[in-house]
Amino acid sequence: MSSKNIHHTEVENKRGTAIRVGQRWADNNPSRDPIRHFTITDIEQVYSSRQAVCHITHGVARATGERVPIDRVVRIDVDRLHPVSTGYRQVT
């Protein structure tokens, strides 16, 4: 039995936050350095699991505030994307 990915351009997570392709977010985790900045490029669903496909564009060093180049793709569960002090925040 093979699974079929369903692609979305917008979903709402369990906290009511609208997650859309093209949104920019930053990592708020106080232990992560540099602070990752990423753009949502796709939203994939396999069965009930929905993940935002995120292109990490750069980081910001906590000590200096300098921009650090990062070029990586990660997947983050859409229910983790909501503004909290130790999670993520949406940036403009």
Side-chain angles (χ1 to χ4, degrees), residues 7-73:
H7 297 270
H8 300 279
T9 57
E10 180 177 344
V11 295
E12 187 174 291
N13 68 17
K14 67 183 179 183
R15 291 175 178 82
T17 305
I19 308 300
R20 295 181 192 90
V21 169
Q23 283 180 332
R24 293 174 38 193
W25 289 75
D27 199 333
N28 261 356
N29 187 335
S31 65
R32 187 177 298 275
D33 192 19
I35 302 166
R36 301 180 304 174
H37 285 251
F38 55 88
T39 301
I40 297 174
T41 57
D42 193 13
I43 300 169
E44 294 180 342
Q45 179 174 341
V46 177
Y47 300 111
S48 63
S49 174
R50 299 177 301 168
Q51 293 189 331
V53 179
C54 306
H55 176 222
I56 300 175
T57 55
H58 67 280
V60 175
R62 287 188 186 276
T64 63
E66 291 182 18
R67 192 175 172 126
V68 179
I70 303 174
D71 186 19
R72 193 169 75 214
V73 175

